[in-house]
Amino acid sequence: AQSVSQHNHHVILSEAASLELGCNYSYGGTVNLFWYVQYPGQHLQLLLKYFSGDPLVKGIKGFEAEFIKSKFSFNLRKPSVQWSDTAEYFCAVGPFSGGYNKLIFGAGTRLAVHP
Amino acid sequence: KAGVTQTPRYLIKTRGQQVTLSCSPISGHRSVSWYQQTPGQGLQFLFEYFSETQRNKGNFPGRFSGRQFSNSRSEMNVSTLELGDSALYLCASSATTNEKLFFGSGTQLSVL
């Protein structure tokens, strides 16, 4: 079955702490991988995506993610979080081709960053 | 550039009624996808339209349907509403397929 598992539902950090959010997926075939973020009161927006090439991808606001094919993982990282990173983060997977935007989303991780 | 616009923002309906939700994509985007978001099931894909054609469909009953107009605006319809249809319905547009999705703010549907 196709699925995305996000390891943590809630994460609480202090400013300047490092962040790593886990994401594992189960999906047949070649995939595209995404991290979307929803800031309080705002709509979902793309943080970063992996389609092919360098497995370490960089996104907006200093976020990066590493695709490890052998582990079916796409973990999100940031070396030093800020209060403004407080948001809900969603990992998503879709087929490399032919999927027509049919993404499978994880349940989300709520991140709270305290000053 | 205006973002994805969904109307109405909130809806309250009773069981058995039907409802129509509207989505206007970003100008120039030809693909419109719909997702249902609930606390229990998270985000689930409903369907995707491109140039007025449904190209993919999720695992939802036939009560859920949609269409896309020649100007790329899309509507989704849910007939014979059930309590379990209460959810946030999100519309997303993209220029082409398998590309970055731009989401709207959603329509919050409550079924009483």
Side-chain angles (χ1 to χ4, degrees), chain B residues 61-81:
Chain B
R63 300 185 296 106
F64 291 81
S65 63
R67 59 178 176 169
Q68 186 181 32
F69 302 95
S70 59
N71 62 358
S72 293
R73 190 178 70 86
S74 177
E75 289 180 347
M76 69 163 281
N77 184 77
V78 188
S79 62
T80 320
L81 284 165

mmCIF file of all heavy atoms in Angstrom, chain B residues 61-81:
data_model
loop_
_atom_site.group_PDB
_atom_site.id
_atom_site.type_symbol
_atom_site.label_atom_id
_atom_site.label_comp_id
_atom_site.label_asym_id
_atom_site.label_seq_id
_atom_site.Cartn_x
_atom_site.Cartn_y
_atom_site.Cartn_z
ATOM 1 N N PRO B 61 -16.149 7.819 -2.906
ATOM 2 C CA PRO B 61 -17.372 7.330 -3.576
ATOM 3 C C PRO B 61 -17.827 8.267 -4.682
ATOM 4 O O PRO B 61 -17.404 9.420 -4.765
ATOM 5 C CB PRO B 61 -18.398 7.262 -2.433
ATOM 6 C CG PRO B 61 -17.856 8.144 -1.365
ATOM 7 C CD PRO B 61 -16.371 8.112 -1.483
ATOM 8 N N GLY B 62 -18.723 7.759 -5.506
ATOM 9 C CA GLY B 62 -19.223 8.503 -6.645
ATOM 10 C C GLY B 62 -19.997 9.750 -6.268
ATOM 11 O O GLY B 62 -20.279 10.592 -7.136
ATOM 12 N N ARG B 63 -20.320 9.893 -4.973
ATOM 13 C CA ARG B 63 -21.023 11.123 -4.540
ATOM 14 C C ARG B 63 -20.134 12.344 -4.721
ATOM 15 O O ARG B 63 -20.614 13.472 -4.752
ATOM 16 C CB ARG B 63 -21.404 11.014 -3.056
ATOM 17 C CG ARG B 63 -22.311 9.854 -2.723
ATOM 18 C CD ARG B 63 -22.730 9.899 -1.255
ATOM 19 N NE ARG B 63 -21.618 9.733 -0.326
ATOM 20 C CZ ARG B 63 -21.083 10.710 0.395
ATOM 21 N NH1 ARG B 63 -21.557 11.947 0.304
ATOM 22 N NH2 ARG B 63 -20.084 10.454 1.222
ATOM 23 N N PHE B 64 -18.848 12.120 -4.812
ATOM 24 C CA PHE B 64 -17.894 13.215 -5.012
ATOM 25 C C PHE B 64 -17.604 13.338 -6.509
ATOM 26 O O PHE B 64 -17.160 12.371 -7.145
ATOM 27 C CB PHE B 64 -16.589 12.936 -4.259
ATOM 28 C CG PHE B 64 -16.716 12.987 -2.771
ATOM 29 C CD1 PHE B 64 -17.221 11.896 -2.066
ATOM 30 C CD2 PHE B 64 -16.356 14.120 -2.067
ATOM 31 C CE1 PHE B 64 -17.353 11.940 -0.683
ATOM 32 C CE2 PHE B 64 -16.478 14.179 -0.684
ATOM 33 C CZ PHE B 64 -16.977 13.088 0.007
ATOM 34 N N SER B 65 -17.856 14.484 -7.040
ATOM 35 C CA SER B 65 -17.601 14.691 -8.462
ATOM 36 C C SER B 65 -17.058 16.096 -8.675
ATOM 37 O O SER B 65 -17.104 16.938 -7.776
ATOM 38 C CB SER B 65 -18.887 14.501 -9.273
ATOM 39 O OG SER B 65 -19.859 15.472 -8.892
ATOM 40 N N GLY B 66 -16.570 16.330 -9.860
ATOM 41 C CA GLY B 66 -16.032 17.644 -10.144
ATOM 42 C C GLY B 66 -16.095 17.940 -11.620
ATOM 43 O O GLY B 66 -16.505 17.107 -12.428
ATOM 44 N N ARG B 67 -15.723 19.150 -11.943
ATOM 45 C CA ARG B 67 -15.589 19.512 -13.341
ATOM 46 C C ARG B 67 -14.681 20.727 -13.451
ATOM 47 O O ARG B 67 -14.425 21.430 -12.467
ATOM 48 C CB ARG B 67 -16.958 19.816 -13.946
ATOM 49 C CG ARG B 67 -17.741 20.931 -13.286
ATOM 50 C CD ARG B 67 -19.052 21.154 -14.016
ATOM 51 N NE ARG B 67 -19.890 22.157 -13.354
ATOM 52 C CZ ARG B 67 -20.988 22.673 -13.913
ATOM 53 N NH1 ARG B 67 -21.366 22.304 -15.121
ATOM 54 N NH2 ARG B 67 -21.714 23.558 -13.252
ATOM 55 N N GLN B 68 -14.221 20.947 -14.648
ATOM 56 C CA GLN B 68 -13.371 22.110 -14.900
ATOM 57 C C GLN B 68 -13.892 22.813 -16.138
ATOM 58 O O GLN B 68 -14.262 22.174 -17.138
ATOM 59 C CB GLN B 68 -11.912 21.694 -15.104
ATOM 60 C CG GLN B 68 -10.962 22.877 -15.215
ATOM 61 C CD GLN B 68 -9.523 22.456 -15.431
ATOM 62 O OE1 GLN B 68 -9.251 21.431 -16.063
ATOM 63 N NE2 GLN B 68 -8.579 23.221 -14.907
ATOM 64 N N PHE B 69 -13.894 24.117 -16.079
ATOM 65 C CA PHE B 69 -14.401 24.920 -17.185
ATOM 66 C C PHE B 69 -13.256 25.355 -18.103
ATOM 67 O O PHE B 69 -12.085 25.196 -17.770
ATOM 68 C CB PHE B 69 -15.154 26.127 -16.629
ATOM 69 C CG PHE B 69 -16.292 25.740 -15.715
ATOM 70 C CD1 PHE B 69 -16.112 25.684 -14.342
ATOM 71 C CD2 PHE B 69 -17.539 25.398 -16.237
ATOM 72 C CE1 PHE B 69 -17.158 25.313 -13.500
ATOM 73 C CE2 PHE B 69 -18.580 25.032 -15.400
ATOM 74 C CZ PHE B 69 -18.383 24.980 -14.033
ATOM 75 N N SER B 70 -13.631 25.927 -19.218
ATOM 76 C CA SER B 70 -12.627 26.303 -20.217
ATOM 77 C C SER B 70 -11.658 27.370 -19.705
ATOM 78 O O SER B 70 -10.543 27.503 -20.203
ATOM 79 C CB SER B 70 -13.314 26.783 -21.507
ATOM 80 O OG SER B 70 -14.154 27.884 -21.222
ATOM 81 N N ASN B 71 -12.075 28.128 -18.689
ATOM 82 C CA ASN B 71 -11.168 29.140 -18.115
ATOM 83 C C ASN B 71 -10.345 28.563 -16.949
ATOM 84 O O ASN B 71 -9.726 29.315 -16.206
ATOM 85 C CB ASN B 71 -11.970 30.354 -17.645
ATOM 86 C CG ASN B 71 -12.965 30.016 -16.553
ATOM 87 O OD1 ASN B 71 -13.097 28.861 -16.157
ATOM 88 N ND2 ASN B 71 -13.670 31.015 -16.051
ATOM 89 N N SER B 72 -10.359 27.245 -16.813
ATOM 90 C CA SER B 72 -9.619 26.484 -15.789
ATOM 91 C C SER B 72 -10.249 26.524 -14.403
ATOM 92 O O SER B 72 -9.801 25.790 -13.523
ATOM 93 C CB SER B 72 -8.137 26.917 -15.698
ATOM 94 O OG SER B 72 -7.454 26.557 -16.869
ATOM 95 N N ARG B 73 -11.250 27.336 -14.198
ATOM 96 C CA ARG B 73 -11.952 27.308 -12.913
ATOM 97 C C ARG B 73 -12.575 25.924 -12.717
ATOM 98 O O ARG B 73 -12.957 25.252 -13.679
ATOM 99 C CB ARG B 73 -13.031 28.379 -12.872
ATOM 100 C CG ARG B 73 -13.660 28.591 -11.496
ATOM 101 C CD ARG B 73 -14.689 29.718 -11.529
ATOM 102 N NE ARG B 73 -15.889 29.356 -12.276
ATOM 103 C CZ ARG B 73 -16.930 28.708 -11.758
ATOM 104 N NH1 ARG B 73 -16.905 28.324 -10.493
ATOM 105 N NH2 ARG B 73 -17.988 28.451 -12.502
ATOM 106 N N SER B 74 -12.625 25.516 -11.462
ATOM 107 C CA SER B 74 -13.121 24.164 -11.192
ATOM 108 C C SER B 74 -14.162 24.200 -10.089
ATOM 109 O O SER B 74 -14.155 25.104 -9.235
ATOM 110 C CB SER B 74 -11.961 23.254 -10.782
ATOM 111 O OG SER B 74 -12.409 21.957 -10.446
ATOM 112 N N GLU B 75 -15.062 23.249 -10.147
ATOM 113 C CA GLU B 75 -16.036 23.055 -9.091
ATOM 114 C C GLU B 75 -16.005 21.598 -8.663
ATOM 115 O O GLU B 75 -15.734 20.705 -9.468
ATOM 116 C CB GLU B 75 -17.449 23.396 -9.573
ATOM 117 C CG GLU B 75 -17.713 24.849 -9.802
ATOM 118 C CD GLU B 75 -19.137 25.121 -10.278
ATOM 119 O OE1 GLU B 75 -19.842 24.163 -10.666
ATOM 120 O OE2 GLU B 75 -19.548 26.298 -10.260
ATOM 121 N N MET B 76 -16.268 21.376 -7.387
ATOM 122 C CA MET B 76 -16.506 20.014 -6.953
ATOM 123 C C MET B 76 -17.860 19.951 -6.271
ATOM 124 O O MET B 76 -18.303 20.926 -5.651
ATOM 125 C CB MET B 76 -15.408 19.474 -6.047
ATOM 126 C CG MET B 76 -15.296 20.083 -4.682
ATOM 127 S SD MET B 76 -14.315 19.023 -3.563
ATOM 128 C CE MET B 76 -15.540 17.791 -3.129
ATOM 129 N N ASN B 77 -18.503 18.837 -6.425
ATOM 130 C CA ASN B 77 -19.839 18.651 -5.908
ATOM 131 C C ASN B 77 -19.870 17.401 -5.030
ATOM 132 O O ASN B 77 -19.259 16.382 -5.361
ATOM 133 C CB ASN B 77 -20.823 18.498 -7.074
ATOM 134 C CG ASN B 77 -22.259 18.395 -6.599
ATOM 135 O OD1 ASN B 77 -22.873 19.386 -6.239
ATOM 136 N ND2 ASN B 77 -22.793 17.192 -6.587
ATOM 137 N N VAL B 78 -20.551 17.526 -3.916
ATOM 138 C CA VAL B 78 -20.778 16.346 -3.081
ATOM 139 C C VAL B 78 -22.282 16.199 -2.915
ATOM 140 O O VAL B 78 -22.958 17.134 -2.451
ATOM 141 C CB VAL B 78 -20.115 16.464 -1.698
ATOM 142 C CG1 VAL B 78 -20.221 15.145 -0.939
ATOM 143 C CG2 VAL B 78 -18.666 16.902 -1.820
ATOM 144 N N SER B 79 -22.818 15.081 -3.324
ATOM 145 C CA SER B 79 -24.257 14.850 -3.218
ATOM 146 C C SER B 79 -24.548 13.985 -1.999
ATOM 147 O O SER B 79 -23.651 13.303 -1.478
ATOM 148 C CB SER B 79 -24.776 14.174 -4.482
ATOM 149 O OG SER B 79 -24.154 12.916 -4.645
ATOM 150 N N THR B 80 -25.764 14.012 -1.564
ATOM 151 C CA THR B 80 -26.221 13.207 -0.427
ATOM 152 C C THR B 80 -25.200 13.233 0.709
ATOM 153 O O THR B 80 -24.593 12.219 1.077
ATOM 154 C CB THR B 80 -26.483 11.743 -0.863
ATOM 155 O OG1 THR B 80 -27.103 11.709 -2.144
ATOM 156 C CG2 THR B 80 -27.399 11.054 0.131
ATOM 157 N N LEU B 81 -25.026 14.403 1.251
ATOM 158 C CA LEU B 81 -23.993 14.599 2.263
ATOM 159 C C LEU B 81 -24.160 13.683 3.467
ATOM 160 O O LEU B 81 -25.287 13.404 3.920
ATOM 161 C CB LEU B 81 -23.999 16.051 2.735
ATOM 162 C CG LEU B 81 -23.373 17.061 1.777
ATOM 163 C CD1 LEU B 81 -23.755 18.481 2.167
ATOM 164 C CD2 LEU B 81 -21.865 16.887 1.729
#
